[in-house]
């Protein structure tokens, strides 16, 4: 039985998503860039719905479930944006952007199984609807479809897809296993974020350069930008995970913590617990009532999450996210000044402004 979900239709243009409607983006070149990316996103959206179709009825229903539930299309937007350092919305750029978004979509099915998430994009998560096995197999099907698309673009695309997929899996493995004795927990956590989130965003930025025939010297600065902004993106998610407004985030407050994931606010709290009795007491509540709850909601868990939200380690996490975004923008120094560089800078600002 197909569950009822709101069919997604991308209504907001790129100008509103990354701030190109601001008065500082008022030149003809800026407007042309925004229009070009919007046109490319329309092509990607059509391609997503054309590609996520399977002869098997069950497969078609499950693979389109989260696609139809929505999504910001951040990764395709970034690929289309960097492509304007080359020849713009070439067919190969649209194909690569589609494959990268399908890869992201596949990872969501697997992530929700690993985290036992109850909700995704404002709807029940796939494993809550069909069970873990179907959710995992759905993710596998989507990874296969993304690989088929990349194969059309040649060996370079296949290597990019394979390398990115390996990093996604290694990031999940390292998160599951946790740091080894002697590892710095924060450094370990940041490396997990770089693999699980940064690698795919970096691949999107890189794909835009590769498949638009942009100058090779732009590739590494944009890989660095993508990886760093990916870490910033996930640190903002650590803050949003504590939000009391699930209608805004599409997830139950504290979803990651309830799955036992020690996000950066918790890691920073652990650093303080030895010297600050109040931090130690809050950490004990979180570990007892939230992180060991196996996802069960309770008044004690909700109270502990609210207390963490109000603790200054959460403000520290937000500050660190801004620092990663600042470093991401610094990576753009080798790029020529112009509309694309301005838009990438605004893109970084928008990533961290999600928490405001």
């Amino acid at each position: 039985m197909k569950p009822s979900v709101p069919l997604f239709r991308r209504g907001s243009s790129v100008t509103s998503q990354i701030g190109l409607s601001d008065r500082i983006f008022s030149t003809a070149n800026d407007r042309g860039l925004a229009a070009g990316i919007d046109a490319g996103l329309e092509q990607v959206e059509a391609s997503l719905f054309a590609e996520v179709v399977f002869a098997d009825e069950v497969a078609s229903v499950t693979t389109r479930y989260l696609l139809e539930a929505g999504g910001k299309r951040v990764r395709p937007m970034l690929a289309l944006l960097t492509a304007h350092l080359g020849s713009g919305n070439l067919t190969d750029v649209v194909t690569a952007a589609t494959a990268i978004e399908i890869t992201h979509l596949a990872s969501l099915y697997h992530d929700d199984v690993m985290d036992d998430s109850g909700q995704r994009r404002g709807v029940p998560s796939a494993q809550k609807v069909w069970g873990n096995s179907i959710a995992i197999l759905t993710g596998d099907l989507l990874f296969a479809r993304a690989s088929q698309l990349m194969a059309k673009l040649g060996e370079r695309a296949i290597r990019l897809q394979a390398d990115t997929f390996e990093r996604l899996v290694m990031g999940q493995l390292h998160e599951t296993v946790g740091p080894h004795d002697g590892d710095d927990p924060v450094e370990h956590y940041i490396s997990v974020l770089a693999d699980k989130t940064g690698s795919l965003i970096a691949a999107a930025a890189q794909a835009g350069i590769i498949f638009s025939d942009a100058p090779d010297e732009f590739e590494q600065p944009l890989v660095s930008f993508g990886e760093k902004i990916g870490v910033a993106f996930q640190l903002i998610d650590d803050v949003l995970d504590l939000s009391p407004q699930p209608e805004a985030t599409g997830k139950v407050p504290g979803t990651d913590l309830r799955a036992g994931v020690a996000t950066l606010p918790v890691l920073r709290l652990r650093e303080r617990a030895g010297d600050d009795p109040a931090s130690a007491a809050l950490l004990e509540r979180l570990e007892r009532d939230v992180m060991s709850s196996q996802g069960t909601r309770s008044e004690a868990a909700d109270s502990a999450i609210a207390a963490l939200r109000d603790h200054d380690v959460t403000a520290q996490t937000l500050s660190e996210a801004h620092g990663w975004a600042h470093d991401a923008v610094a990576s753009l120094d080798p790029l020529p000044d112009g509309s694309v560089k301005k838009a990438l800078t605004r893109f970084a600002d928008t990533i961290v402004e999600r928490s405001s």
Side-chain angles (χ1 to χ4, degrees):
M1 178 179 178
K2 182 176 181 179
S4 176
V5 298
L7 185 61
F8 174 67
R9 289 289 182 267
R10 191 178 57 81
S12 58
S13 70
V14 69
T15 55
S16 63
Q17 290 187 59
I18 62 173
L20 294 184
S21 57
D22 294 350
R23 284 183 296 174
I24 59 173
F25 294 97
S26 59
T27 69
N29 284 341
D30 296 334
R31 291 193 296 271
L33 173 65
I37 299 172
D38 273 334
L41 282 172
E42 293 294 343
Q43 291 177 272
V44 170
E45 197 70 13
S47 180
L48 285 169
F49 279 89
E51 293 295 340
V52 183
V53 175
F54 292 85
D56 182 89
E57 182 180 357
V58 173
S60 276
V61 169
T62 61
T63 53
R64 291 170 74 93
Y65 178 63
L66 289 182
L67 177 64
E68 293 178 348
K72 296 178 285 294
R73 310 296 189 249
V74 168
R75 291 152 194 83
M77 181 169 62
L78 184 56
L80 293 164
L81 178 54
T82 62
H84 280 76
L85 290 166
S87 300
N89 298 350
L90 298 178
T91 300
D92 285 357
V93 174
V94 173
T95 299
T98 302
I100 287 168
E101 184 65 9
I102 293 174
T103 300
H104 170 60
L105 189 67
S107 74
L108 299 183
Y109 285 85
H110 287 183
D111 282 352
D112 286 345
V113 172
M114 296 294 296
D115 298 341
D116 195 27
S117 299
Q119 194 174 49
R120 171 70 70 174
R121 294 180 171 175
V123 299
S125 56
Q127 87 274 9
K128 295 300 181 185
V129 178
W130 291 287
N132 285 350
S133 295
I134 295 297
I136 291 169
L137 291 169
T138 297
D140 292 345
L141 277 171
L142 288 167
F143 279 126
R145 183 55 50 89
S147 297
Q148 289 174 355
L149 284 172
M150 282 299 209
K152 295 178 180 180
L153 303 179
E155 183 180 352
R156 184 75 187 278
I158 294 170
R159 287 205 314 270
L160 177 62
Q161 176 75 0
D163 291 346
T164 304
F165 186 39
E166 180 177 314
R167 289 192 64 189
L168 290 172
V169 175
M170 292 302 295
Q172 184 64 67
L173 177 64
H174 291 154
E175 179 180 87
T176 302
V177 173
H180 297 298
D181 291 343
D183 289 347
D184 180 274
V186 172
E187 288 182 5
H188 176 270
Y189 183 66
I190 294 298
S191 72
V192 167
L193 301 189
D195 285 341
K196 282 189 61 177
T197 303
S199 64
L200 194 55
I201 293 179
Q206 188 176 5
I209 295 298
I210 294 171
F211 300 111
S212 70
D213 298 320
D216 291 342
E217 60 265 27
F218 297 162
E219 190 173 332
Q220 284 310 309
L222 283 163
V223 168
S224 178
F225 171 83
E227 186 149 324
K228 290 174 180 177
I229 207 63
V231 173
F233 185 96
Q234 191 57 56
L235 292 179
I236 292 297
D237 266 7
D238 286 355
V239 175
L240 293 175
D241 186 54
L242 305 175
S243 170
Q245 300 174 313
E247 67 277 4
T249 65
K251 299 195 297 183
V252 174
T255 291
D256 293 336
L257 298 181
R258 295 176 202 271
V261 176
T263 57
L264 190 61
V266 171
L267 295 177
R268 292 305 187 195
L269 190 68
R270 286 176 177 167
E271 291 177 340
R272 300 187 188 196
D275 300 320
D276 177 18
S279 294
L282 175 55
L283 180 60
E284 181 181 0
R285 290 170 58 197
L286 287 164
E287 292 179 339
R288 181 190 65 232
D289 299 329
V290 183
M291 300 178 71
S292 300
S293 68
Q294 298 182 328
T296 302
R297 294 198 66 175
S298 67
E299 185 175 338
D302 291 347
S303 174
I305 291 168
L308 180 60
R309 181 170 62 247
D310 294 336
H311 197 288
D312 62 3
V313 292
T314 300
Q316 181 183 354
T317 298
L318 184 59
S319 176
E320 292 186 49
H322 280 267
W324 279 95
H326 179 271
D327 289 347
V329 171
S331 300
L332 301 175
D333 285 349
L335 300 187
D337 292 334
S339 297
V340 172
K341 190 172 183 177
K342 268 198 298 185
L344 287 165
T345 301
R346 182 69 188 116
F347 177 87
D349 291 341
T350 303
I351 291 297
V352 294
E353 287 169 2
R354 293 185 302 138
S355 65
S356 61

